[in-house]
Amino acid sequence: MAVIGGSTTGRKARWTFVDIAVVAYALIPVLWTMSLSFKTAEAQTDKNFFPSEWTFDNYKAIFTTDQFVRALVNSIGIALIATLIAVVLGTMAAYAIARLDFPGKQALVGVSLLIAMFPQVSLVSPLFEMERQLGLFDTWPGLILPYITFALPLAIYTLSAFFREIPWELEKAAKMDGATPAQAFRRVIAPLAAPGVFTTAILVFIFCWNDFLFAISLTSTEASRTVPAALAFFTGASQFEAPVGSISAAAVVITIPIIVFVLFFQRRIVAGLTSGAVKG
Amino acid sequence: MAEIILDKVTKRYPDGALAVSEADIQIADGEFIILVGPSGCGKSTMLNMIAGLEDISSGELRIDGQRVNEKAPKDRDIAMVFQSYALYPHMSVRENMAFPLRLAKVDDATVKSKVDEAAKILDLTQHLERKPANLSGGQRQRVAMGRAIVRNPKAFLMDEPLSNLDAKLRVQMRTSVSKLQKQLATTTVYVTHDQTEAMTLGDRVVVLRGGLVQQVGSPQFLYDNPANLFVAGFIGSPAMNFLPGTLENGQLSTGLGTLALSDRVRTLAEEAKAPREVIAGVRPEHFEDAKLMDESAKAGGTTFTATVDVLESMGSDKFAYFTVEGETATSQELAELAADSGSTETGDSGAQLVTRLSAASTAVEGQPADVWFDADKVQLFDPSSGKNLTYAG
Ligand SMILES: Nc1ncnc2c1ncn2[C@@H]1O[C@H](COP(=O)(O)OP(=O)(O)OP(=O)(O)O)[C@@H](O)[C@H]1O
Ligand SMILES: [Mg+2]
């Protein structure tokens, strides 16, 4: 007994150490950024982890510039619209892929996989040219469209995995109970697929929110520039001063919507929602 | 309440598999009919075609005289109980049972009273607010039944509804299903694998084999007068014993010796133009310990002596197993039955013979015993076609 107890304590200690190491590795840069955002301009380079003097000046500064507020509005709007459209389209496509046998199904899955694997960098110049021709350059749709394109494969894959988990027989049962296909989908399948839809929404939103490549290449003014791109245009008080404090403050601010979004949807993700539907 | 008629109903799946072939079945109003057969014989397919979940390739399905081939499931007014129960996991028991009524736009008060009534019949009243995940298997099964009965459909379809329950619960639920069906008098089509369910539940039994209807009749009729080797071997547990035999001048020679057929059997066999080589079938209960019988009773049969391999005493009677020397009966039907029941040939010579003797029998394992069997109860089958040559139907 003693030997076994000793070994589990040892295991526990090892795991605790590993856990702490991983969390520290992930969080220290974030904490460092936060620390920087609260430091005064003079203290930015003092190499202290904790600010000697706390200040909200950096936050005040970014919110007084129109530049950042506009970018925040652009980011939220573009990411939400792209997420909504990608999830709705993805749900329909994934449902069809999980349930139906239609000609060209394999091809569809293959093509969407191809899109996901395509290096985005190689598309930037053609997209730039095309959007300029079509008048989409530096507009919201100009970013929403490529976001949907690249988020859809992700959405379809995650969602079809969730749809496959829902027993076929529930749909048959709904039909026998007198439901039309639309009623069966709305009242039986959709509620059960909800956790999958929310999970997908979170992933797609994060993808859109974090994008830098398209945001920097397909925008030119405040009309559609999102926060990750706008950060690059921040300027310090003087030309020779790096705006480290403002950038840190902005970086902290833009993580907040993500945290809110995840917390909001996470409560809706109830694991094991389909348990009890069928036995065996 | 409805009469269901299958008129040469055929199902061919897109990949070419013929699942049901020209099934002709008339199901009377209020009748309880059982579909049995080995795995993959097309039972579920047939049920799904009646339900409208599978298209009918050819033939006609009529409910109350009306062709319904093209009708969607929801327009057929038929309820179905699935093997997996298929309860809606996000709804409470009450909502599950109310679902068909809600879809039919029944008003709230009626929904409530109907659900409460069904819950009372099925003894689910105290579980109405629970989710299916928090119910036992038997309770889930009853909820599935409840969802079917609330809206008084024209017919019930059940696909192995009890097969997921443990043995004891299955017996219990079997009686309640039977009672419920009598009480509601709704036409019911019930698919099962289970011998006992097939024999006890239904008014009539349909035996299917490879998509072909083999025989339709009351359970007792099928037991006494199977139309062919397949039905004979499938109905009854333990199964009928089959022995290869030779027919000559009204005498049948088998591994158990030679016996004179009764006049009744001989006449039937002659009418059916029985070939010389036949397969003889005898049910286990048509054997008896010869020591327990007087001479006059033994006249109608024949006695053989063999060593008891295994003796199982069930209290009410004894099962004695023997090995009969010589060839085993072979036919395609018997091979299929063996494959379905999972029994593999033991490899040793001779056929296994199962006999049911009185509890008073003095047979001892490993010792020879004298066993008599009734010549009038012997059934003869054509080994090539499988047809029952002594069919009296
Ligand atoms: N969707 C399908 N496509 C092609 N063939 C199918 C399909 N569904 C069933 N089959 C075939 O049709 C035959 C009948 O199947 P069915 O499910 O009706 O059998 P069953 O009698 O219900 O068997 P079990 O007792 O195992 O449930 C089988 O040979 C099966 O392989
Ligand atoms: Mg089946």
Side-chain angles (χ1 to χ4, degrees), chain A residues 99-111:
Chain A
R99 282 288 187 263
L100 305 177
D101 242 340
F102 53 89
K105 176 167 144 176
Q106 289 311 318
L108 181 77
V109 174
V111 167

Side-chain angles (χ1 to χ4, degrees), chain B residues 13 15 17 19 38-45 160 193:
Chain B
Y13 280 107
D15 65 359
S39 192
C41 69
K43 306 181 293 291
S44 299
T45 305
E160 309 200 29
H193 241 107

Side-chain angles (χ1 to χ4, degrees), chain B residues 92-98 101 110-130 135 138-152 173 176 180 183-184:
Chain B
S92 67
V93 170
R94 176 185 293 283
E95 288 163 344
N96 260 284
M97 299 211 295
L101 298 173
T110 322
V111 170
K112 190 172 158 24
S113 74
K114 287 210 168 174
V115 170
D116 285 342
E117 189 193 324
K120 211 166 96 201
I121 297 175
L122 293 163
D123 197 16
L124 284 168
T125 310
Q126 67 271 43
H127 307 301
L128 275 175
E129 307 312 324
R130 291 220 214 146
L135 297 176
Q139 289 162 347
R140 285 180 201 174
Q141 211 285 328
R142 294 207 298 270
V143 178
M145 301 283 288
R147 198 171 60 185
I149 67 173
V150 275
R151 64 189 167 109
N152 294 324
M173 282 306 297
S176 22
L180 195 66
Q183 196 179 334
L184 302 169

Side-chain angles (χ1 to χ4, degrees), chain A residues 180-203:
Chain A
T180 61
Q183 281 172 320
F185 183 81
R186 196 165 51 80
R187 302 184 63 158
V188 175
I189 303 305
L192 294 176
V197 172
F198 292 129
T199 309
T200 312
I202 290 178
L203 292 174

Side-chain angles (χ1 to χ4, degrees), chain B residues 63-76:
Chain B
I63 299 179
D64 276 341
Q66 246 190 25
R67 179 185 162 99
V68 295
N69 287 35
E70 288 78 24
K71 278 197 179 175
K74 73 183 183 68
D75 301 322
R76 296 191 188 188

